[in-house]
Amino acid sequence: MLAVTRRNLIKAQIQEKKSVTVPALAREFAVTEETIRRDLKALESEGVLSRTYGGAYIQDGVLNEVDYTVRMDAYVNSKTLIGGICRRLVGHGDSVYLDNSTTALYAAEALSALRITVVTNSLAVINRLAPAGNIHLMAVGGAFDAGSNSFMGPGTLNALSGYHVDKAFISCRSLSMEHGITDSCEELAQLRRLIPAQSDRTYLIADHSKFGYASFVKICDFSSVDGIVTDKPLSGEWHAFLEERGIACYDSPQV
């Protein structure tokens, strides 16, 4: 198969699925992973997609559910910065909920030295914090979803409704002034919609790429969160919008 033909097929696939992984494409087209990486680099130079080490994704589309392995490698520096800000919002003795977002995994890394209780439905967070003797870890079960590497469904909702924490950190697929806080997955939205009622303070953790967009399912209005943690300074318009609603904005490593 000619490279141009393969790249057109990859382009069509990512436009439909919103994300692709290097190993899956290599198997599908019977070529090496290095060949696929060259294809993705060429398509990125055309402005078709954004690359990560594990694959590639596109940002647009209200039903945009990016593969977990691709999300893990996206905006790593941004997520690390957000994790550091989360660390400044948590103290020894706190009880904390961390959702199943990849951003929450970076928060878990930043919080791992604290003496805290952590409730989570994320298998990645569970695996990261399980060796930490200082963490009282509450793993919320349910039906395992490989796409998000987490537990979801009615069992998870029921289990989470039995906990109340000091601080919760949840993410989203997108957020906009017009449409509120939104997600592309109904089950994820249901979980995240529950959390503000189970927490004294709820923080939305979202990197800069998620602002100004709307996804398929509404999680909640901005009134449901107490603060927003992000990686880059927000515009004056966003600051005014959040201040008017009494929502703290943490868009700097100096909290």
Side-chain angles (χ1 to χ4, degrees), residues 151-225:
F151 300 93
M152 297 199 297
T156 309
L157 284 167
N158 185 59
L160 280 173
S161 66
Y163 293 105
H164 192 90
V165 296
D166 295 308
K167 294 157 186 173
F169 295 91
I170 62 171
S171 191
C172 65
R173 189 68 190 87
S174 51
L175 63 159
S176 73
M177 297 180 195
E178 297 80 12
H179 301 287
I181 301 166
T182 54
D183 218 310
S184 53
C185 172
E186 176 67 40
E187 284 190 307
L188 279 176
Q190 287 180 330
L191 281 173
R192 289 165 173 166
R193 192 178 298 132
L194 171 70
I195 298 304
Q198 310 303 124
S199 174
D200 287 344
R201 297 190 67 79
T202 299
Y203 298 97
L204 182 69
I205 50 177
D207 68 67
H208 66 278
S209 70
K210 299 182 177 183
F211 284 78
Y213 296 93
S215 293
F216 187 60
V217 185
K218 187 168 184 175
I219 299 173
C220 60
D221 292 317
F222 286 94
S223 58
S224 295
V225 302

Side-chain angles (χ1 to χ4, degrees), residues 98 104-113 120 122-135 137:
L98 296 174
L105 180 58
Y106 284 82
E109 177 68 35
L111 300 176
S112 61
T120 186
S122 165
L123 183 59
V125 171
I126 292 167
N127 288 336
R128 172 60 188 88
L129 296 181
N134 51 294
I135 301 284
L137 184 60

Side-chain angles (χ1 to χ4, degrees), residues 81-161:
L81 179 58
I82 289 171
I85 297 174
C86 292
R87 166 62 184 85
R88 295 178 175 88
L89 296 172
V90 177
H92 290 295
D94 280 344
S95 56
V96 175
Y97 172 74
L98 296 174
D99 77 356
N100 59 313
S101 63
T102 55
T103 308
L105 180 58
Y106 284 82
E109 177 68 35
L111 300 176
S112 61
L114 294 176
R115 297 185 300 276
I116 56 175
T117 294
V118 173
V119 180
T120 186
N121 66 312
S122 165
L123 183 59
V125 171
I126 292 167
N127 288 336
R128 172 60 188 88
L129 296 181
N134 51 294
I135 301 284
H136 183 208
L137 184 60
M138 307 295 292
V140 178
F144 181 70
D145 177 65
S148 63
N149 199 30
S150 67
F151 300 93
M152 297 199 297
T156 309
L157 284 167
N158 185 59
L160 280 173
S161 66

Side-chain angles (χ1 to χ4, degrees), residues 12-154:
Q13 189 172 137
I14 199 169
Q15 286 171 345
E16 177 184 353
K17 295 182 178 179
K18 309 305 180 186
S19 67
V20 292
T21 65
V22 169
L25 290 175
R27 288 192 300 271
E28 180 177 346
F29 294 108
V31 295
T32 66
E33 292 189 2
E34 186 56 37
T35 296
I36 294 298
R37 289 195 176 91
R38 286 196 295 270
D39 289 339
L40 296 179
K41 184 176 181 180
L43 290 172
E44 184 180 47
S45 69
E46 296 175 19
V48 172
L49 50 77
S50 297
R51 284 188 304 149
T52 71
Y53 181 78
Y57 66 96
I58 56 176
Q59 186 70 29
D60 64 331
V62 297
L63 279 170
N64 189 334
E65 296 182 44
V66 178
D67 185 276
Y68 183 84
T69 57
V70 174
R71 287 189 286 117
M72 274 297 299
D73 294 323
Y75 297 103
V76 170
N77 292 337
S78 297
K79 293 170 184 175
T80 301
L81 179 58
I82 289 171
I85 297 174
C86 292
R87 166 62 184 85
R88 295 178 175 88
L89 296 172
V90 177
H92 290 295
D94 280 344
S95 56
V96 175
Y97 172 74
L98 296 174
D99 77 356
N100 59 313
S101 63
T102 55
T103 308
L105 180 58
Y106 284 82
E109 177 68 35
L111 300 176
S112 61
L114 294 176
R115 297 185 300 276
I116 56 175
T117 294
V118 173
V119 180
T120 186
N121 66 312
S122 165
L123 183 59
V125 171
I126 292 167
N127 288 336
R128 172 60 188 88
L129 296 181
N134 51 294
I135 301 284
H136 183 208
L137 184 60
M138 307 295 292
V140 178
F144 181 70
D145 177 65
S148 63
N149 199 30
S150 67
F151 300 93
M152 297 199 297

